[in-house]
Amino acid sequence: MLPFNKPYFTGNETKYIESAVSSGKISGNGDYTKKCQSFFEQNFGIKKCLLTTSCTDALEMAAILIDIKPGDEVIMPSYTFVSTANAFVLRGATIVFADSRKDHPNIDENAIEGLITSKTKAIVPVHYAGVACEMDTIMDIAKRHNLYVIEDAAQAIDSYYTGKDNVKRALGSIGHLAAFSFHETKNIISGEGGLLAINDEKFINRAEIIWEKGTNRSSFFRGEVDKYGWVDIGSSFLPSEIIAAFLWAQLENLEQIQMVRKNHWESYFDKLATWARENRIELPQLPDYASNNAHMFYLICDSLEQRTKLLDYLKQHDILAVFHYISLHESPFYDKLHKGGVLPETDRFTDTLVRLPLFYELNPNVVIDVLLKAAF
Amino acid sequence: MLPFNKPYFTGNETKYIESAVSSGKISGNGDYTKKCQSFFEQNFGIKKCLLTTSCTDALEMAAILIDIKPGDEVIMPSYTFVSTANAFVLRGATIVFADSRKDHPNIDENAIEGLITSKTKAIVPVHYAGVACEMDTIMDIAKRHNLYVIEDAAQAIDSYYTGKDNVKRALGSIGHLAAFSFHETKNIISGEGGLLAINDEKFINRAEIIWEKGTNRSSFFRGEVDKYGWVDIGSSFLPSEIIAAFLWAQLENLEQIQMVRKNHWESYFDKLATWARENRIELPQLPDYASNNAHMFYLICDSLEQRTKLLDYLKQHDILAVFHYISLHESPFYDKLHKGGVLPETDRFTDTLVRLPLFYELNPNVVIDVLLKAAF
C-alpha cells in the first residue's frame, strides 16, 4: 500500500541527537533550540520564536498571552484541526466559527466582520494547506476593531503572502502571534513539535516566562534578576534538546525538501488538470497573493458520493488517500455551543475534499497513472 | 568543576531512536510509547499510564480530569516546584499551601485537615526526594472529605510506601492520579518528559481523549466508534516516539541505574554521619513507611549563613552543590493570594537545604573528602 505520508529523514537527525546527548544537556532551551529559533527569526522575519512541544502548545501560549478569559470570543474557521479551537476553549473562550471561502478551505475574510461583537478578542486565520489567508483584509479588520490576530501556521512553513503594498511576507510573520507545527505529517518534522512566533514585541518577555513554567528563569540566566521564582501562570512548553536536534537536521535541508515537494505538487497539478475538469473535480486554487509551499495536494470532488468512490478506487489500487477535517461547528463537543448559523462551504469541504499522498520519496506518477485510468 | 547533575546514557538511546525513525512512525502513541506505559503499569501496579511531554503536562491532565473550576481549592506543600501549583492555577484553582513536616520537606499530613473548606477539591502530596508522604493519613482524609489525591511523583520513580496494612505500594500507584517526570535531572530521563498514572479507573477513557487533543481517536483506532472528532477539551499531551524510544533505553536499565545511585547515596549517608552531627547539620531522614530511591542527597544546615558558607566552600573546591525551592507561598506570583498563614518549616527548608551532586558516574568520595576537611 502506498502510504498517505512517509516521514523524510535527512540522515543527520541521529548524529545531532548524539551530539546533544554527548554535550550532557538534553532538557529544553539548549543550543539546538536556539539554532532552530534563530533559523525562523532570520529566514521568515519573525521578531522572536520559541520552540514548543507541539503547535497545540504554541496556540495555548498565544491564548495565555492575549489573556483569554471566560466569555471572550475568538473567530476562526470551522474547517480546521481541533487544537485551533481547544487552545482557546481551555482558557474559557467561546469559539465563533466563520465559513470557508468558496474557492478554498481558508476562512472567508468577508465573513469575519459580521461575527464581531463587544466580546470578540481575536481572529485566528488558519493557512490551510500552507496557502495564505487574505491577510491585508484580516489585519485591517483586527486593527479597526482592536483585535489580536493569531495565525495558525501549522501547515505554512516557507509560505508567503504578498499584500497590497507588494511586500512578500512569510506566513507566521504577519499576525501578532503565530503557531507552526513539526508533526510528522508536516514538511519539516520532529515527530511532535511546534513553534510560537511573536511579532508584537510587547509579548516577548511574558512569552519567555510562560514558556519556562511561569518563572523568570530566562531573565535570571541573562543576569537581569538575582534569583528566579514563580511570577506568572505558565507550563512546560519547551521541548527536549533531543527534539530540537532532530528538527535542526530538517531545517538545514529546508530548501532541498521544499524543492522536491514542489516538483511533486506541480506534477499532480499539471498532469491531472484535464482529467479533473472532465470529472467535475476541482484542483487547488492559489489566490494571487499566496505562494505554494507544497504542504498538501488536494482534490475537491463534486459530491460525497464521488469522493467515496474515488477513495475506494485508490484503495483498491493500493493507494491511501484521505479526507480531512470534520466541521468543528458540527462536532459532538461544539454543535450545541455553535451560534454562527449554517456554514455551507465548510460542510462542502468536509464532504468533498480528498488529500493525495505527498511526501519526499513519493513518485507522484504512480498515483497520477492510476487516477488517469478512471472516470468518476 | 564537578557538576551537580550529569545525565546518564545507557548507550541504547540513539539505537532505539534510529529504530523508531526507520519504522516511519515518530509522532506520538507508537510502539515505544506503549512499551514505556506498560513498563510502569506492570512494574509499579498502576492501572493505566499515558506518556506526556512533561510532568507539568501530566499534572495539567490531572487538573482537567478532576474538573477543576475557578474557585476550587487545592491543598499542596509550598516547598515544591512551580508546576505542582501552576497546573491547577491554569484551570482556575486557588492554591492552599500546607507546611512541611519538621523532619522532611514533605507535606505535613497533620496540617492538611485544618485547611479543608467546602471548596476543597484535591490534595496534592509531593514525594520530595522520592520519599513517600504519609499516604495512609492523606488517603483517609481524602476519603472522609470526598477529595481527590493527586500524587506529584516527579522525583519518585521506583520508590515505595508501606502502609498500616503492611503492603508495599509504589509511589504513583496510591492516589487517584499521579504524575512522574523524566526531566534530565531525574533518575530515569528523556530530556523533557513525564507520565500520567491513573489508578481510579473512571478516569481512563476521558484521559485518553484529553491526551489526544480532545478527540476520540483512541476509540476510533480500537474500532469502538466509526469516525473520530472533537468530543472534549484537551491538548497535545503526548510526546514523540523519539522521546519514548530514548526513555525505553533508560527504563530497560532501571535496576542497574538504581543500584548505582543507591550506592552513592549510602556512601554519602554513612561517611558524612559523624561530620554532620559535629556541624549541627541534618542528614536526610527516612520515615519507616518510606523507601529510598536515591533521587537526591540533601543536607539541612542549621542556618542560611551556614548553608551559604557550605555552598561557597564547595564551589571553591570545584564542586557545584545547589539549594532548591523557594517557598511558593512567598513567590511574587502568589504571596498576596496565599491565605494559609506562616509556614515556618517550609521557610526553613527554603533557607537551609542543600543538594549534593548525585548522578550515575559520580564518585561521591570526591565530595565527601572535601566536606570532611571542613567545619561549619
Side-chain angles (χ1 to χ4, degrees), chain A residues 180-191:
Chain A
F180 289 91
S181 171
F182 310 118
H183 185 265
E184 70 170 22
T185 50
K186 301 303 186 294
N187 295 24
I188 292 290
I189 63 175
S190 64

Side-chain angles (χ1 to χ4, degrees), chain A residues 105-288:
Chain A
N106 277 345
I107 192 167
D108 179 355
E109 64 275 13
N110 298 312
I112 295 171
E113 205 150 8
L115 300 173
I116 293 173
T117 73
S118 60
K119 293 177 181 171
T120 308
K121 191 130 188 192
I123 306 166
V124 185
V126 181
H127 304 300
Y128 186 79
V131 173
C133 297
E134 216 293 58
M135 292 305 292
D136 273 350
T137 303
I138 292 169
M139 294 305 290
D140 176 63
I141 294 170
K143 198 171 178 186
R144 283 188 285 107
H145 294 273
N146 200 24
L147 306 176
Y148 290 115
V149 173
I150 295 161
E151 298 175 71
D152 183 336
Q155 306 172 12
I157 192 171
D158 192 35
S159 199
Y160 300 85
Y161 171 79
T162 305
K164 289 179 207 106
D165 60 5
N166 223 21
V167 177
K168 187 176 158 185
R169 291 184 178 83
L171 301 187
S173 75
I174 303 168
H176 301 85
L177 297 161
F180 289 91
S181 171
F182 310 118
H183 185 265
E184 70 170 22
T185 50
K186 301 303 186 294
N187 295 24
I188 292 290
I189 63 175
S190 64
E192 305 277 346
L195 177 143
L196 176 72
I198 306 166
N199 299 308
D200 184 334
E201 283 178 16
K202 77 174 176 195
F203 291 121
I204 293 177
N205 283 345
R206 192 169 176 228
E208 282 186 335
I209 288 169
I210 290 166
W211 190 58
E212 285 271 27
K213 306 160 190 82
T215 72
N216 52 356
R217 191 169 177 275
S218 295
S219 287
F220 175 74
F221 282 108
R222 284 194 298 263
E224 296 161 9
V225 292
D226 63 357
K227 63 178 179 179
Y228 86 88
W230 189 20
V231 297
D232 204 337
I233 57 172
S235 183
S236 189
F237 287 115
L238 69 183
S240 163
E241 276 289 286
I242 301 168
I243 294 293
F246 192 104
L247 183 62
W248 179 245
Q250 296 264 320
L251 287 172
E252 276 190 335
N253 284 276
L254 176 65
E255 214 169 314
Q256 169 71 13
I257 290 169
Q258 291 297 84
M259 194 185 68
V260 170
R261 292 186 72 107
K262 283 177 192 171
N263 282 340
H264 295 343
W265 198 98
E266 296 292 343
S267 288
Y268 273 141
F269 193 81
D270 295 343
K271 296 179 184 168
L272 291 176
T274 310
W275 167 88
R277 202 165 42 244
E278 288 168 3
N279 286 281
R280 308 161 319 284
I281 288 169
E282 278 175 41
L283 297 189
Q285 297 187 46
L286 262 80
D288 291 342

Side-chain angles (χ1 to χ4, degrees), chain A residues 7 9 14 18 21 24 26-28 60 81-82 86 90-91 183-184 191-192 213 230-233 235 242 332-333, chain B residues 7 9 14 18 21 24 26-28 60 81-82 86 90-91 183-184 191-192 213 230 233 235 246 331-333:
Chain A
F9 305 106
T14 46
E18 273 168 21
V21 160
I26 57 165
S27 61
E60 287 175 22
F81 188 55
V82 287
N86 248 339
L90 276 173
R91 308 300 310 148
H183 185 265
E184 70 170 22
E192 305 277 346
K213 306 160 190 82
W230 189 20
V231 297
D232 204 337
I233 57 172
S235 183
I242 301 168
F333 187 62
Chain B
F9 305 105
T14 45
E18 272 168 21
V21 159
I26 57 163
S27 61
E60 287 175 20
F81 189 54
V82 288
N86 248 339
L90 276 172
R91 305 302 310 148
H183 186 264
E184 70 170 21
E192 306 277 345
K213 306 161 189 84
W230 190 20
I233 56 173
S235 183
F246 192 103
S331 66
F333 186 61

